[in-house]
Amino acid sequence: MTFFRLYKILAIFRAYRLDELLPKHHLVRWPRLVLKCLFWIRPKAKHQEIGERLRQALQELGPVWIKFGQMVSTRRDILPKHIADSLTKLQDQVAPFDGQIAKQLIESALGQTIDYYFSHFDEKPLASASIAQVHTAILKHSQAEVIIKVLRPNILPIIQADIRLMYWVAKQFTNRIKSGEKLRAVEIVRDYEITLLKELDLQKEAYNTIRLRDNFINSDILYIPYVYHNLCRKNVLVEERIKGIPISNIEQLKQNNVNMKLLAERGVQAFFTQLFRDNFFHADMHPGNIFVDITEPQNPRYIGIDCAIIGILTEDDQRYLAENFLAFFNRDYRKIAQIYITSGWVPETTDVVALEMAMRNVCEPAFAKPLAQISFSQILLQLFQVARQFDMDIQPQLTLLEKTLFYIEGLGRQLYPELDLWKTAKPFLEKWYQDKYSAKKILQQTWQSLPAWQTMLPKLPEKLNNYERISKQMSAQLTQITQELQLSKRRERNLYKMMGLVCALSIIILVSY
C-alpha cells in the first residue's frame, strides 16, 4: 500500500464524512483526528444520508471497493437496513481499458495472434466491470459469435494492496473495541477475499459454466452459454455470445408480450433446482448476470452468465435447510429450533425452548400478512439473526445462499408483484424431500449397498478379532504408560527429597565452618 493510495482513501473518507460510521470509542480517536486534519478536502454529497455517501465513496475508490460494497450489501444480518439498501445500488461503472492492451493480453494467453483463432475481433469492449472486460469476436473455423472475457492488467497487486488495508482496519475494530467482535469485520473481509480470488481465475469460471450448462441441458427454464474450453486460460474466457433481453428491462419484456407470471415462477424453480437437485447453484444472480430468451414470449427462458461464484452445501445442510423451510410452512417452531441445534448451526447446549420462543417471535408476525406477501429471504435472514444471538456461526455457503435467495425473490417480485413464492417452492421442497428421504429411497440405497456388505460380511469376524486384539494391546500400553508415569512421579519426589537433604547438609556444613 503506497502512501499516495492511503492518502487518496483517507481523502475520500474525509470528503464523504465517513467518520460518522466510526463507533464513539476512545480507541478510534486517532483515525478521527487524522480525518479532521485533512481540513482542505472539500465535502461532497452534502445533503445525502450516510448510506448514500458511503456508496458514492466506494464508487470513487474504484473496482476493488465497489465489489466490496456489493458483497457487504448482502450481509443484512449485520448492517443497518438504510446502509444495506444504499449499497445494493452499487454498479460496476468502471471505465474500460485500452482494447489494444486487451488484444495483447489475449494473444499472450493463447500463444497465437488474434487472427489465428478469430476472423473478427472488436477492440471496443462490449462491457467493462471491476475485474474484467468483455470483447466480441467471431471464431475463424466455425464463424460462431463469441465473447472474450479478459482480466484487467495488473489487477492482482491492486487487489492485494487494498485487501491488506481492509484486513488491517478490520483487525483494529476487532481487537481494540470491546464490542468489535460483533461486527465480524475480519470475517467480512475474508469472505470478500475468497470471492474475489475466485473471480480472478477464469478457468474455474469456465469449469463452473460447463457443469451448470450440463445440469440444465435442454431445459425450458434456464440456458447457460457454451464454453470453448480449449481457448480458456487463467485470465481469458471464451464462450458463446448470447442474445436476450436484460432481466432489469421490464418495460421491454412487457412490450414483447412475455408471460411475466411464468417467468417469475421459473426463476424460483431454477434456483431451487440448482440448490436441491444439483447442489450446485449460481451464487451471483444479480440483474447484470441474467437475461431472458424471448424466442417464445409465452414460454420464456432465463439465460445465466458469469458463473464465477458457485455455492455448494453439504448434504446435511441441504436436508436441514429443506426441513427448516417445511417447518416454517407448517408453523412448527419447535422443529425449527431442533433443526438449528441438531445441524450444529448453534451449540448443542442451546436451550431449545428459548430458541423456539425466539423463532416464534420472528415468524408469527409474518403470518399476519397474506402468504403471497411474505418475504422468503427476509424470513431466512431474520431466523439467522435470531440464531446469532444463540452463538450461530453462519458458514460462507449459507451466506451465499441467503444472498442468492434475496436476489431471486427480489427479481421475481419485480417481474410479477403477485408472485406467491411459497406456492411455487413448497411443492418442490415436499417432492424433493420425499424422493430423497422416503422409505422407498432408503430401501433402494440399502439394496444398492448390498454388494459392498457382501464383501465386508465374510471379513467381519476377522475385523472384530483384530479390533479386540488392538484394543487389548492399547489397554496394555495404556496401563504400562500409567505405571511409568507413577514411577516417574515417585522418582521425582525422591529426587526432591534428596536435593532437600543435600541443601540442608550444605547449610549445616557452612554454618559449622
Side-chain angles (χ1 to χ4, degrees):
M1 174 64 62
T2 66
F3 171 79
F4 294 106
R5 179 61 175 163
L6 181 59
Y7 171 76
K8 181 179 180 181
I9 291 170
L10 291 173
I12 290 173
F13 272 50
R14 165 69 179 180
Y16 289 97
R17 283 109 49 227
L18 298 186
D19 56 310
E20 291 180 23
L21 293 172
L22 296 174
K24 294 179 179 179
H25 196 283
H26 70 279
L27 289 174
V28 294
R29 65 178 181 272
W30 286 110
R32 287 181 183 278
L33 183 59
V34 169
L35 290 174
K36 285 181 180 178
C37 286
L38 302 176
F39 57 86
W40 57 87
I41 304 297
R42 297 180 63 181
K44 298 180 179 181
K46 292 182 181 180
H47 305 294
Q48 299 289 347
E49 295 291 334
I50 183 63
E52 181 61 22
R53 280 185 273 133
L54 176 60
R55 181 187 71 81
Q56 292 183 30
L58 294 175
Q59 235 167 245
E60 193 170 330
L61 281 168
V64 177
W65 296 82
I66 290 171
K67 269 292 189 193
F68 182 68
Q70 290 173 337
M71 192 277 293
V72 171
S73 71
T74 66
R75 297 301 302 267
R76 291 173 175 263
D77 54 327
I78 57 176
L79 281 182
K81 183 179 183 299
H82 66 285
I83 291 180
D85 288 344
S86 294
L87 294 183
T88 55
K89 300 175 187 176
L90 277 170
Q91 300 295 324
D92 274 334
Q93 297 172 352
V94 183
F97 62 91
D98 192 333
Q100 270 292 330
I101 295 175
K103 183 178 178 180
Q104 292 168 10
L105 289 170
I106 295 165
E107 289 179 336
S108 176
L110 297 179
Q112 295 286 351
T113 64
I114 284 285
D115 296 340
Y116 183 85
Y117 290 109
F118 307 100
S119 60
H120 172 75
F121 174 79
D122 192 347
E123 288 188 9
K124 183 180 179 181
L126 177 68
S128 179
S130 305
I131 305 300
Q133 71 182 31
V134 174
H135 292 260
T136 58
I138 297 175
L139 283 174
K140 198 168 188 177
H141 69 279
S142 64
Q143 295 302 300
E145 291 186 72
V146 297
I147 61 98
I148 306 175
K149 184 175 182 179
V150 56
L151 292 183
R152 287 180 168 271
N154 303 314
I155 188 69
L156 185 58
I158 298 172
I159 288 173
Q160 289 173 332
D162 280 353
I163 284 179
R164 279 197 298 270
L165 178 63
M166 290 177 183
Y167 267 123
W168 183 84
V169 173
K171 286 174 181 175
Q172 301 310 305
F173 272 94
T174 303
N175 298 333
R176 295 180 178 274
I177 299 174
K178 188 175 180 180
S179 59
E181 289 186 5
K182 293 182 180 179
L183 296 173
R184 297 180 180 267
V186 175
E187 174 193 317
I188 291 172
V189 176
R190 187 180 300 115
D191 286 353
Y192 173 59
E193 181 182 23
I194 292 169
T195 299
L196 206 54
L197 291 177
K198 285 179 181 177
E199 292 194 58
L200 290 176
D201 189 345
L202 297 186
Q203 282 185 313
K204 285 185 179 177
E205 181 179 339
Y207 163 77
N208 292 340
T209 308
I210 291 167
R211 181 171 169 183
L212 199 58
R213 176 182 169 84
D214 288 343
N215 289 343
F216 283 88
I217 204 73
N218 300 323
S219 168
D220 290 331
I221 62 175
L222 178 63
Y223 181 83
I224 304 296
Y226 178 82
V227 173
Y228 295 86
H229 60 88
N230 59 312
L231 297 178
C232 294
R233 304 292 185 269
K234 194 175 178 67
N235 66 328
V236 170
L237 171 72
V238 180
E239 70 179 22
E240 167 192 5
R241 184 179 182 184
I242 56 96
K243 301 289 177 68
I245 295 175
I247 190 72
S248 56
N249 197 337
I250 295 174
E251 191 60 39
Q252 189 176 356
L253 291 172
K254 289 180 177 179
Q255 288 175 0
N256 283 275
N257 198 31
V258 171
N259 187 331
M260 303 297 275
K261 180 176 183 292
L262 180 60
L263 184 63
E265 290 172 349
R266 282 185 167 178
V268 178
Q269 292 168 8
F271 170 67
F272 280 97
T273 301
Q274 291 175 63
L275 179 61
F276 289 106
R277 187 195 71 181
D278 305 326
N279 193 17
F280 191 82
F281 62 94
H282 193 314
D284 197 19
M285 295 292 281
H286 63 75
N289 288 339
I290 308 173
F291 295 80
V292 182
D293 176 5
I294 60 166
T295 306
E296 299 178 55
Q298 290 302 303
N299 188 30
R301 180 169 60 164
Y302 285 92
I303 304 172
I305 63 170
D306 197 356
C307 306
I309 305 171
I310 291 292
I312 298 174
L313 301 180
T314 66
E315 188 173 341
D316 285 341
D317 279 348
Q318 250 190 326
R319 184 175 79 256
Y320 292 134
L321 197 65
E323 290 176 347
N324 193 18
F325 286 146
L326 290 172
F328 176 79
F329 285 131
N330 299 321
R331 300 170 80 165
D332 188 346
Y333 306 116
R334 171 58 65 92
K335 177 71 173 176
I336 294 174
Q338 288 172 337
I339 289 167
Y340 273 73
I341 294 171
T342 55
S343 66
W345 293 348
V346 298
E348 60 181 10
T349 55
T350 300
D351 183 342
V352 67
V353 176
L355 183 57
E356 177 191 357
M357 291 304 297
M359 298 295 187
R360 183 183 297 275
N361 290 338
V362 164
C363 297
E364 274 300 311
F367 283 104
K369 302 177 183 177
L371 203 58
Q373 294 179 18
I374 299 175
S375 170
F376 215 33
S377 56
Q378 285 297 326
I379 288 295
L380 183 62
L381 170 63
Q382 288 173 348
L383 290 176
F384 282 169
Q385 286 176 328
V386 167
R388 277 196 183 279
Q389 299 169 18
F390 292 83
D391 297 324
M392 179 182 185
D393 186 15
I394 297 181
Q395 300 300 314
Q397 65 269 20
L398 293 179
T399 302
L400 283 176
L401 167 69
E402 180 188 314
K403 178 188 79 170
T404 308
L405 184 56
F406 177 78
Y407 280 146
I408 294 297
E409 185 177 44
L411 285 172
R413 289 199 164 134
Q414 282 179 9
L415 295 170
Y416 186 71
E418 294 80 26
L419 172 68
D420 189 339
L421 198 76
W422 307 94
K423 185 178 179 181
T424 307
K426 187 178 180 181
F428 184 98
L429 284 169
E430 289 175 334
K431 184 178 185 307
W432 176 84
Y433 193 82
Q434 183 179 4
D435 291 345
K436 188 84 173 175
Y437 299 105
S438 65
K440 180 182 177 182
K441 185 69 175 179
I442 292 170
L443 286 173
Q444 184 181 3
Q445 290 173 343
T446 304
W447 178 258
Q448 290 172 348
S449 65
L450 279 179
W453 279 104
Q454 287 175 343
T455 305
M456 290 173 61
L457 283 173
K459 298 179 181 179
L460 192 58
E462 181 184 349
K463 288 184 180 292
L464 289 173
N465 286 333
N466 288 337
Y467 173 76
E468 186 178 359
R469 177 174 54 79
I470 292 169
S471 296
K472 287 179 180 178
Q473 288 176 352
M474 291 180 66
S475 179
Q477 289 174 356
L478 187 60
T479 302
Q480 184 180 352
I481 291 169
T482 304
Q483 290 172 350
E484 288 177 357
L485 284 172
Q486 290 173 348
L487 180 60
S488 176
K489 286 181 180 179
R490 284 199 298 270
R491 286 173 177 169
E492 190 177 345
R493 285 197 297 269
N494 290 337
L495 180 61
Y496 284 142
K497 287 179 182 178
M498 187 176 294
M499 289 176 64
L501 288 172
V502 169
C503 289
L505 186 59
S506 300
I507 292 169
I508 291 169
I509 291 171
L510 287 170
V511 171
S512 301
Y513 180 78

